[in-house]
Each structure stands twice: as C-alpha cells, then as structure tokens.
Amino acid sequence: METQIVQIDEQNIDDRAKEILARAGSIIKQGGLVAFPTETVYGLGGDGLNPESSKKIYAAKGRPSDNPLIVHVADMEAVEKIVEEVPEAAYKLAKAFWPGPLTLIMKKNGKVPYETTGGLDTVAIRMPSNRIAMELIKQSGGYIAAPSANTSGRPSPTLASHCIEDLSGKIEMIIDGGAVGIGLESTIIDLTSDTPMILRPGYITPKMLSDVLGSVDIDRTIIDSTSTQKPKAPGMKYRHYAPKGQLTIVEGSQDAVIAYINARSKEAAAKGQRVGIIGTDATKGLYNADVIKSVGKREDEETIAHELFKVLREFDEENVDVMFSESFDDSGLGQAIMNRLLKAAGHNKVVV
Ligand code: TXA
Ligand code: MG
C-alpha cells in the first residue's frame, strides 16, 4: 500500500488543511488507518466502533490483540454514548483536564467492539487537545481508536518521521503536524474501581488528580520495579523499547554517576564494545564514550519528557553494545519519565 504523507500546521488550519482532514476522515470512516499528531505522541487512528479497523491497527503495529486501544473523542456527548454510565469522577476530571493528556477508563456499552478493548468490558477514552487531532475526530465519525503510532516494542513516535519509519507502506495516510508538545503518552486512570487508580503515569500527575478527586490509588506495579504482579493496564507489561545494547540506569550524586559511567565505558571499550550514554545538557561534556546524547535539562523536566523517545530511537541507529543513562527524580513528571526509562532498561538500575 502506498502511504500518503501530508503536512498540516496546527497553528494554521486553513481551507487546504480542512480539505486534507476531510479526506483523512473519510479514510477512517471507510475502515482505513491514518497516523496523526496529538499533544502527547502520534496516534495510529482507525474507527473505534468498527471491529475490522481495530484488527487492522493491531496488524499494522504488530501488537498483541489483548492490549486494548484508547478511543479518542471530541466532546462529552460522545463519551455518554459508548459507556454504561459516566461516573461523577469522569465529569470532574474532564472539566479539569480535557481536552488534554488524560485517559479515563469506564465500563463500555455494546457500541464498543471487544476488538477495540482487547476483550475487556471497559473502555479507555481520551479527548486530545491537539487541534489537528480534534478536527480529525470530528471528520471521522467521532470515535478514533488510536494507540501510539509505533511498531509494537519501539518507543512511541514524537515526530512524523518516526511514524514513517515504522508504518510507511502499512497504512493509508500519515499527517505530519510537526513535533508533539509533551512527548510521553497520556496518564491513564481507571474509574471502575472504588477508588480511582492510576494505571500509567503521565503529564497529569497523581497530585493534580487527587486535587480534583480527593484520593487516588496508583497501580504499584508501575512504580515498584521489584513487583512481580501483573500491571492492570495490559500494555504496561510489554517492554517498550528493546535497545540492541543493554541499557543500565545509574542513580547517585552527579559526580558518582559520571565517574561510574565513565569507568564502565572504559572497561567496555577495552573489550571492543561500542558504548552509548544518555546524559543531560549540563553533563554531556563530562562523559567519554562513542555516542553521548543529552536528553534535556534536569531543571526543566518537560524538556526530558519531550526528548526521551526521540533519543531512544536515535540510539537504535547507532549500533551500540551497551548503554548507560542518568537517573531522574521520581516525583511529579519525573515519575512518568522514570517509568518509561525503566521499561526501556528492562528495570536494570544500579545505585552508586
Ligand atoms: O497519549 C496517549 O495515550 C497515546 C495517544 C495516541 O493518545 N496513546 C497511547 O495508546 O499511548 P497505547 O495504545 O500505546 O497505550 C494505551 C495503554 C495500553 O497500556 C493499554 O493496555 C491501556 O492503555 N488500556 C487501554 N484500554 C484499557 C482498558 N480498558 N483497561 C486497562 N488498560 C487499558
Ligand atoms: Mg504505545
């Protein structure tokens, strides 16, 4: 299949852009797939109420079909039509954070096919704030099922070029809307349990959620790397990034981390191995290795969220045998950053 690649400027949705979005919408209504930007990561969109579309999404990503998709909507009425009941907490959270990087899990009704929910009786729903995404949802019949637009096992795409790498030839269209704003996938909160429970950390932090809801739980498996329990979000059990070289996260004071990584890098180089290092703007110049990349500024976590997946993807091209990364503060947005980084490292972390 030939994949059309089109460009739209989110800040300038003119007649040409609207015409493209109408075309993209009819592709989705007819059962085809379109990759599009959201404020978190790029999504791979199909009609969320069409079981055949969801099957195509799993096939294009190479994703296990027990891993449910998020349904993207453009208004609250759309939510009311596909769930058994909208809990009070959902209205509160939608008022506070939608459109935005938060996904709500509720009990689905018969309109949502099991193909979309990976066989579950619940459905994950999100209203994105990206204007291209919002317009596309409206043009597509109101319900776009969209996982991140990467091949299963690779980091989520934060640029259209990442979608092109993974999905070119497999889907009808890729909408290039430039770099995404946030860079990490949405926070997921399950509203079907007595106390709402965070299943995936993201830009909307536990503190922001508990300020609205009073109290929230967090699925321990996503913050405790030693937990052997199964995560409640099926997708969280899969490794998101399998670097060719083993990634080790190193935690400690800045001086100790740099000294440790440089010593390990020297040892590896002596064995003829190629070494990659993930540092920050402030430390990048202090390492010795074949490939050294900065993931952003430690004092501005949003820069790290924005760059992390891109940097992980860049290492795929570098053929390194071993990789080391600095560790980041595990609070606020740092919780989401460390969750993704630990997954990439297969939970391999040393404290020095
Ligand atoms: O920011 C995002 O959420 C992006 C953009 C495109 O919106 N989407 C995204 O989708 O990250 P995906 O499919 O890569 O991740 C969805 C996660 C998976 O871990 C999946 O298991 C979980 O959501 N999930 C979906 N429906 C669920 C449900 N009913 N119950 C529990 N977990 C669910
Ligand atoms: Mg994903």
Side-chain angles (χ1 to χ4, degrees):
M1 172 186 317
E2 197 183 329
T3 304
Q4 295 176 59
I5 297 164
V6 295
Q7 276 162 352
I8 295 181
D9 176 1
E10 192 194 352
Q11 305 313 325
N12 181 25
I13 308 222
D14 55 12
D15 287 348
R16 185 195 136 270
K18 285 192 185 134
E19 184 274 320
I20 293 172
L21 287 163
R23 252 192 307 135
S26 44
I27 291 172
I28 291 180
K29 281 196 229 162
Q30 286 161 30
L33 304 184
V34 176
F36 63 99
T38 82
E39 71 278 23
T40 56
V41 299
Y42 273 77
L44 169 57
D47 180 351
L49 304 188
N50 178 348
E52 296 311 315
S53 297
S54 295
K55 284 188 199 160
K56 282 190 201 165
I57 291 175
Y58 289 107
K61 273 182 71 91
R63 173 173 176 142
S65 60
D66 67 343
N67 189 358
L69 308 175
I70 295 174
V71 176
H72 296 67
V73 297
D75 51 54
M76 216 51 203
E77 290 70 52
V79 178
E80 286 156 1
K81 286 183 195 145
I82 61 166
V83 300
E84 264 185 12
E85 179 199 17
V86 182
E88 204 42 49
Y91 285 112
K92 285 188 189 159
L93 291 172
K95 186 156 180 275
F97 303 114
W98 275 4
L102 179 68
T103 295
L104 309 179
I105 294 182
M106 293 173 243
K107 291 210 175 80
K108 79 174 195 72
N109 68 20
K111 292 210 176 67
V112 187
Y114 284 111
E115 283 77 359
T116 299
T117 66
L120 298 176
D121 287 316
T122 54
V123 58
I125 308 177
R126 172 163 116 77
M127 191 189 295
S129 65
N130 180 292
R131 284 182 231 158
I132 300 170
M134 277 296 244
E135 196 56 38
L136 181 62
I137 296 164
K138 291 178 198 156
Q139 297 286 338
S140 302
Y143 299 95
I144 298 187
S148 49
N150 51 286
T151 302
S152 194
R154 293 207 76 197
S156 295
T158 54
L159 291 169
S161 61
H162 299 157
C163 305
I164 296 170
E165 269 168 37
D166 287 10
L167 297 169
S168 197
K170 297 180 179 164
I171 63 176
E172 278 79 0
M173 185 186 270
I174 295 172
I175 300 176
D176 180 352
V180 299
I182 294 175
L184 297 179
E185 308 88 344
S186 62
T187 304
I188 301 179
I189 186 162
D190 183 356
L191 302 179
T192 66
S193 45
D194 288 341
T195 306
M197 185 184 278
I198 298 168
L199 305 190
R200 179 172 74 181
Y203 188 82
I204 306 293
T205 61
K207 165 88 173 57
M208 290 159 83
L209 293 166
S210 59
D211 281 351
V212 173
L213 294 181
S215 68
V216 292
D217 283 341
I218 178 154
D219 181 1
R220 302 309 302 177
T221 65
I222 60 182
I223 43 175
D224 176 3
S225 58
T226 57
S227 171
T228 51
Q229 272 182 318
K230 230 168 83 181
K232 296 201 165 49
M236 298 301 281
K237 69 175 182 260
Y238 297 106
R239 182 124 162 234
H240 260 178
Y241 167 63
K244 291 174 192 131
Q246 173 64 58
L247 170 62
T248 302
I249 298 167
V250 186
E251 186 185 295
S253 71
Q254 180 173 306
D255 288 351
V257 168
I258 293 170
Y260 177 87
I261 292 181
N262 278 335
R264 293 285 306 273
S265 167
K266 203 168 160 191
E267 273 168 35
K271 287 191 262 174
Q273 291 179 323
R274 197 170 146 79
V275 181
I277 295 175
I278 301 177
T280 58
D281 286 4
T283 59
K284 190 176 181 266
L286 304 173
Y287 290 109
N288 298 306
D290 299 292
V291 192
I292 304 160
K293 290 183 192 286
S294 168
V295 70
K297 293 187 176 59
R298 192 171 282 278
E299 62 280 11
D300 180 0
E301 284 176 324
E302 296 200 6
T303 62
I304 299 173
H306 192 260
E307 293 299 294
L308 180 63
F309 286 143
K310 185 172 111 212
V311 165
L312 289 174
R313 269 180 185 259
E314 285 169 4
F315 272 106
D316 274 350
E317 313 297 319
E318 296 284 357
N319 282 312
V320 292
D321 301 298
V322 280
M323 287 170 64
F324 299 95
S325 173
E326 294 177 15
S327 188
F328 299 95
D329 188 19
D330 201 2
S331 61
L333 182 54
Q335 187 175 65
I337 293 169
M338 283 309 290
N339 169 264
R340 307 309 192 274
L341 195 56
L342 280 161
K343 269 168 72 104
H347 289 280
N348 183 23
K349 184 176 95 174
V350 296
V351 180
V352 296

